[in-house]
Amino acid sequence: MAEVGLFQAVVSEQVLEECQRNLAKKLPAAVATFSDLLTRLNLEVVTNPSAEASAQWQSIIEAKELQFLPPRSWQM
């Protein structure tokens, strides 16, 4: 849906880096397809959450999973 412009996809730098790292390690043949998809999606890439933004969620979410919170939740 983001590819055809029905909504704006938003992703953090951390999530993109992890996706690229895991694809390169586990499925290298998919790296080019993933890069092509990223270009077509016109993603809004946001900076990684600050320590303060992450801290508010640490009591309920494992630290390694904080990167997967929706970027807008960092501002709550």
Side-chain angles (χ1 to χ4, degrees):
M1 294 175 113
E3 187 176 2
V4 296
L6 293 176
F7 62 84
Q8 176 65 52
V10 180
V11 65
S12 72
E13 294 168 341
Q14 285 175 301
V15 170
L16 283 179
E17 291 166 6
E18 181 167 344
C19 288
Q20 292 168 338
R21 183 176 55 250
N22 285 329
L23 279 174
K25 180 180 177 182
K26 299 175 182 181
L27 195 59
V31 172
T33 302
F34 182 69
S35 294
D36 182 51
L37 179 63
L38 292 178
T39 301
R40 292 193 325 257
L41 287 178
N42 191 31
L43 292 173
E44 178 184 343
V45 180
V46 296
T47 58
N48 300 328
S50 67
E52 296 81 24
S54 296
Q56 67 180 332
W57 302 104
Q58 287 179 340
S59 65
I60 57 173
I61 299 174
E62 291 183 49
K64 69 178 187 170
E65 303 301 331
L66 288 171
Q67 66 184 325
F68 299 110
L69 283 171
R72 302 297 185 244
S73 68
W74 303 335
Q75 300 166 358
M76 297 177 96

